[in-house]
Amino acid sequence: MNNYDLIIIGAGASGLMAGILAKDKGLNFLIIEKNDRVGMKLGITGKGRCNITNHITDLNDLVNKYTHNGKFLYHAFNEFSVQDTLDFFEKRLNIPLKTERGKRVFPKSDSSLDIVNAFYNELKENILLETTVQEIKKKDGVITGVVTDKGKYMADNYILATGGKTYPVTGSTGDGYTFAESLGHTLHPTYPVLLGFKCRESFVRDLAGLTLKFVNVSVIKDSKVYKEAFGSTLFTHEGISGPTILNLSQYTYDMYEEGFEVRIDLKPRVKFSELDKRVNELLRDSGGIQIKNVLGYLMPKSLIPVVLELSLLIPEKECCNITREERLRLVNVLKGISFRVYGHEGWERAVVNTGGVDIREIDPNTMGSKVVKNLSFTGDILDVFGPTGGFNLQIAWSSSFIAVEGV
Ligand SMILES: Cc1cc2nc3c(=O)[nH]c(=O)nc-3n(C[C@H](O)[C@H](O)[C@H](O)COP(=O)(O)OP(=O)(O)OC[C@H]3O[C@@H](n4cnc5c(N)ncnc54)[C@H](O)[C@@H]3O)c2cc1C
């Protein structure tokens, strides 16, 4: 006889959500977590503020945000929508929420720990901490039990909520992929996504910490603009990051080996000719003032030496002596600082990853395995991801809902 109706492996966002739903359904369930606390990754989401979802109400609009296997989520989002997520946190967990720029939803307290603690307080009787699942036993197409470092546990149903492989210090070390493969699932190669780029330009180091707001960033492939993003870009010690880069990185995961170019347009709202006219007027009005002392009107101070160097302009040259060619070089740089990307920040810093369990082997109506009868998958282990802005946690909430519904 099995001890439990349901065993949930992993107490991250999706495992915790599945736990509450199992509790509300009156199931006899157990959550097994290898860390000494629950929701380690959940605790660092949204820079510690936990961007729980994105307030998009139209189902098609929501699905279209997921560029990688988004259609797979259609049923899950239909069954457990963004509105259901808001209601769940506000009414079931008593956490007041607020919506910020870009429809991003956060707890009013700005503390992800409020979310983690609310889950834990509801579930502590059902969680085994510091217990690592080492093996999942299968017989005749059915899971018969899980072997942990503390003993064997059995249930009628199992949910694999072990996350992906990014930020491994939080416990998401890709164990679930190994289990899925051992149970007969097909795996696709995994790549980290939603992360910063490493660039060859040494000047990025001098700019580390500087954020450029309202810039347009383009990834260049075969001499053409391949993908673009508008918003903030941050300089790091090794390259460029921030929301624009993170979101572009979902399209570049297989391009690092060859390397590629990224261009930042500092003035995306004005055309080249209009910007040239403005710069011309600025130079004319500034007369004998050195060029380095007037560019503060156009860009953050720390960027001026870099822009001047890239434009091959002498910083001390007086504005009235700048030639037409020099001015055009400057405008060219303002409309497209070029970076040569040769790598990314690595698994340690990526928000999510692509690849893993082939979704064709998972029923999108239940998240149930088509290979093993009593197994479901939830959250990051699914080969689906969305951009930054609350979209990935929404996968965790909705996939858990339909997985528990099916138990
Ligand atoms: C820095 C950062 C910021 C992020 N910010 C946001 C955000 O603001 N909004 C958003 O939507 N998404 C965000 N994400 C993505 C989001 O965190 C994930 O989509 C989400 O955590 C996935 O939940 P999960 O339950 O599938 O996996 P995880 O949260 O990774 O949980 C998996 C759990 O399984 C446990 N586990 C693994 N193997 C075993 C084993 N063998 N035995 C027992 N337990 C095991 C792990 O210890 C872990 O606790 C962010 C990610 C990162 C890295």
Side-chain angles (χ1 to χ4, degrees):
M1 227 228 0
N2 286 336
N3 294 333
Y4 298 98
D5 298 320
L6 172 67
I7 285 177
I8 300 163
I9 307 169
S14 74
L16 292 168
M17 181 60 152
I20 300 267
L21 298 165
K23 182 177 176 180
D24 291 351
K25 212 175 162 183
L27 297 177
N28 179 21
F29 69 101
L30 177 71
I31 305 179
I32 303 177
E33 168 57 52
K34 68 178 170 186
N35 289 330
D36 60 2
R37 67 201 121 126
V38 304
M40 268 187 82
K41 190 174 270 182
L42 187 57
I44 59 163
T45 54
K47 298 201 169 108
R49 298 201 301 136
C50 192
N51 178 191
I52 61 159
T53 188
N54 196 283
H55 201 160
I56 293 182
T57 43
D58 183 83
L59 180 58
N60 288 313
D61 289 350
L62 181 66
V63 170
N64 287 336
K65 287 282 178 185
Y66 294 81
T67 48
H68 185 70
N69 292 335
K71 287 204 172 72
F72 177 79
L73 296 167
Y74 200 92
H75 182 78
F77 290 159
N78 194 32
E79 290 296 296
F80 196 81
S81 64
V82 169
Q83 188 56 51
D84 292 325
T85 300
L86 304 181
D87 289 345
F88 174 83
F89 282 97
E90 295 211 300
K91 295 179 186 158
R92 176 66 181 83
L93 293 187
N94 291 317
I95 296 176
L97 303 173
K98 58 176 175 177
T99 303
E100 293 190 359
R101 187 175 42 83
K103 300 187 177 177
R104 294 169 307 147
V105 181
F106 294 90
K108 262 194 184 145
S109 65
D110 279 329
S111 169
S112 55
L113 284 185
D114 285 356
I115 305 264
V116 175
N117 290 338
F119 274 118
Y120 183 65
N121 290 336
E122 286 275 347
L123 295 169
K124 54 184 167 221
E125 313 293 326
N126 301 75
I127 300 176
L128 271 185
L129 291 172
E130 295 184 89
T131 308
T132 304
V133 171
Q134 296 168 325
E135 196 188 345
I136 302 182
K137 296 272 187 200
K138 178 178 100 166
K139 200 175 168 202
D140 301 330
V142 177
I143 296 179
T144 53
V146 294
V147 180
T148 77
D149 51 353
K150 306 265 171 72
K152 191 174 171 187
Y153 298 89
M154 288 174 289
D156 294 328
N157 300 281
Y158 298 81
I159 289 180
L160 205 44
T162 42
K165 282 168 64 174
T166 67
Y167 253 85
V169 288
T170 61
S172 327
T173 48
D175 298 11
Y177 298 138
T178 314
F179 298 142
E181 193 171 33
S182 74
L183 293 168
H185 275 278
T186 312
L187 295 188
H188 290 296
T190 51
Y191 302 93
V193 291
L194 307 191
L195 76 178
F197 296 154
K198 287 185 179 177
C199 307
R200 297 211 181 280
E201 287 65 30
S202 53
F203 65 75
V204 292
R205 227 171 297 129
D206 305 329
L207 298 173
L210 172 69
T211 297
L212 301 174
K213 290 182 180 164
F214 313 118
V215 293
N216 199 67
V217 186
S218 316
V219 170
I220 310 296
K221 194 176 174 184
D222 302 328
S223 310
K224 286 195 205 113
V225 173
Y226 168 54
K227 294 285 171 192
E228 289 182 281
F230 176 79
S232 300
T233 302
L234 168 75
F235 287 95
T236 65
H237 287 279
E238 292 184 292
I240 42 179
S241 185
T244 49
I245 304 300
L246 261 59
N247 284 329
L248 286 170
S249 72
Q250 61 186 307
Y251 307 106
T252 58
Y253 59 86
D254 55 355
M255 290 167 57
Y256 299 99
E257 216 168 282
E258 276 192 27
F260 56 93
E261 184 192 350
V262 163
R263 271 183 222 151
I264 300 184
D265 181 349
L266 297 173
K267 300 286 163 198
R269 288 177 174 146
V270 277
K271 286 195 179 131
F272 188 97
S273 54
E274 175 60 25
L275 184 62
D276 183 39
K277 201 171 136 210
R278 284 191 202 173
V279 172
N280 197 16
E281 283 165 8
L282 178 69
L283 296 176
R284 200 189 53 210
D285 296 346
S286 305
I289 304 174
Q290 294 177 343
I291 178 100
K292 68 175 182 188
N293 293 327
V294 300
L295 290 182
Y297 289 107
L298 293 169
M299 68 193 80
K301 265 208 166 79
S302 51
L303 196 59
I304 296 174
V306 171
V307 167
L308 285 173
E309 195 178 328
L310 294 173
S311 313
L312 308 175
L313 275 167
I314 298 163
E316 289 74 29
K317 194 160 184 181
E318 292 173 343
C319 290
C320 56
N321 293 327
I322 301 282
T323 64
R324 181 172 178 275
E325 285 87 277
E326 286 174 327
R327 190 189 76 227
L328 288 176
R329 281 208 305 268
L330 173 64
V331 178
N332 245 321
V333 170
L334 294 177
K335 288 299 285 175
I337 300 186
S338 176
F339 298 85
R340 288 161 301 156
V341 178
Y342 69 91
H344 55 65
E345 288 179 326
W347 288 95
E348 293 72 24
R349 303 292 306 275
V351 172
V352 287
N353 61 267
T354 175
V357 184
D358 189 329
I359 55 161
R360 287 170 301 184
E361 296 170 355
I362 300 171
D363 181 350
N365 296 314
T366 59
M367 295 297 150
S369 162
K370 293 179 185 171
V371 176
V372 186
K373 276 205 180 106
N374 51 351
L375 173 70
S376 303
F377 297 90
T378 60
D380 274 3
I381 194 170
L382 298 163
D383 185 12
V384 198
F385 67 84
T388 59
F391 295 100
N392 290 300
L393 283 174
Q394 186 60 48
I395 299 176
W397 315 136
S398 296
S399 58
S400 294
F401 181 84
I402 58 170
V404 176
E405 246 197 341
V407 173

